[in-house]
């Protein structure tokens, strides 16, 4: 996914979806499609979302990077994002184990920082007996001004580092969700 100020452009092949949680609307939207046999059947109207969750083809990929054939329409989407919104990229060990309503109930929790939300998503999938790996990246979007300010601070600090002849680049730790997305991986 690429984020340009308040626009996200995402492309995907496979079964690791990108979700967008809109904080203002308290709404979770799946922004990509699963390229599994079950996903193709679901989009074709041959099975219901509930059937797709348990279909024998839910883990068999129809399209993936390096496949001999690819989807007719390029799997690229764009959408608008607001300050405070969350992006969740996760493996099917999470998206296939818990429902979107369960994900949303974790993401909406105001008392949790990104790290605790990520931990809660992994734990929720383990709690339902998921044995596949749980891998995710959770990121909070800031305003264009916040992102520009962080980039400016980083550039100023790098300039200072060169002035005092530091041997390696240094990253500012701002303790901000904007500069440090949370990544989690769990092999069950």
């Amino acid at each position: 996914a690429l984020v340009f100020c308040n626009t996200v452009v995402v492309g995907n092949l496979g079964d690791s979806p990108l979700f967008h949680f809109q904080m203002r609307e308290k709404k979770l939207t799946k922004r990509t499609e699963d390229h599994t046999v079950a996903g193709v059947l679901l989009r074709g109207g041959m099975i219901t979302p509930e059937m797709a969750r348990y279909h024998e083809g839910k883990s068999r990929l129809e399209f993936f990077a390096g496949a001999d054939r690819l989807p007719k329409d390029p799997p690229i989407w764009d959408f608008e994002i607001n300050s405070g919104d969350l992006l969740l990229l996760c493996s099917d060990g999470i998206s296939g184990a818990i429902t979107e309503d369960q994900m949303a109930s974790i993401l909406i929790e105001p008392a949790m920082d990104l790290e605790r939300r990520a931990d809660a998503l992994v734990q929720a999938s383990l709690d339902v007996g998921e044995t596949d790996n749980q891998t995710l990246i959770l990121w909070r979007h800031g305003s264009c001004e916040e992102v520009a300010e962080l980039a400016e601070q980083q550039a100023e600090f790098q300039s200072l580092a060169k002035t005092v002849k530091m041997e390696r680049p240094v990253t500012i730790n701002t303790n901000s969700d904007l500069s440090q997305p949370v990544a989690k991986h769990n092999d069950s």
Side-chain angles (χ1 to χ4, degrees), residues 5 16 20 30 39 51 59 61 66 84 109 118 143 147 177 188:
C5 199
S16 294
H20 173 207
K30 186 175 182 180
M51 292 168 73
S59 296
L61 293 177
E109 185 57 50
S143 69
V147 173
D177 289 347
S188 295

Side-chain angles (χ1 to χ4, degrees), residues 20 42 51 57 72 94 97 109 138 156 182-184:
H20 173 207
L42 175 64
M51 292 168 73
K72 182 177 76 169
I94 292 176
E109 185 57 50
L138 182 59
E156 287 174 12
V182 173
K184 292 283 177 188

Side-chain angles (χ1 to χ4, degrees), residues 9-184:
V9 178
V10 62
N12 106 304
L13 285 172
D15 60 354
S16 294
L18 179 80
F19 292 93
H20 173 207
F21 186 76
Q22 297 163 283
M23 277 297 181
R24 291 181 193 154
E25 294 82 9
K26 298 176 179 23
K27 177 181 176 189
L28 182 68
T29 305
K30 186 175 182 180
R31 294 296 187 168
T32 59
E33 297 175 344
D34 286 340
H35 295 108
T36 60
V37 171
V40 171
L41 293 172
L42 175 64
R43 283 190 301 286
M46 296 178 216
I47 61 175
T48 66
E50 187 64 16
M51 292 168 73
R53 287 179 48 81
Y54 300 102
H55 192 277
E56 64 184 15
K58 75 176 186 169
S59 296
R60 195 169 60 235
L61 293 177
E62 183 72 13
F63 302 116
F64 52 91
D68 290 337
R69 66 186 184 88
L70 296 174
K72 182 177 76 169
D73 297 320
I76 299 171
W77 300 268
D78 64 277
F79 57 94
E80 295 300 308
I81 189 169
N82 293 307
S83 181
D85 286 359
L86 302 175
L87 293 178
L88 169 64
L89 176 64
C90 62
S91 67
D92 62 337
I94 292 176
S95 64
I98 59 176
T99 67
E100 290 183 25
D101 286 342
Q102 289 170 304
M103 283 188 257
S105 70
I106 292 168
L107 296 175
I108 198 170
E109 185 57 50
M112 288 188 190
D113 61 12
L114 289 183
E115 181 96 20
R116 289 183 49 201
R117 288 176 180 152
D119 288 339
L121 288 164
V122 169
Q123 190 59 52
S125 69
L126 291 172
D127 288 348
V128 297
E130 180 59 56
T131 58
D132 199 353
N133 77 77
Q134 296 86 27
T135 303
L136 68 87
I137 297 173
L138 182 59
W139 183 69
R140 183 183 69 83
H141 182 63
S143 69
C144 294
E145 295 79 20
E146 288 174 303
V147 173
E149 185 178 320
L150 284 172
E152 187 177 307
Q153 288 173 359
Q154 183 75 25
E156 287 174 12
F157 194 79
Q158 291 299 332
S159 176
L160 177 62
K162 289 176 186 171
T163 302
V164 295
K165 298 186 190 302
M166 294 182 144
E167 293 182 15
R168 312 185 301 225
V170 177
T171 301
I172 297 172
N173 183 357
T174 61
N175 294 322
S176 166
D177 289 347
L178 298 175
S179 62
Q180 298 296 320
V182 173
K184 292 283 177 188

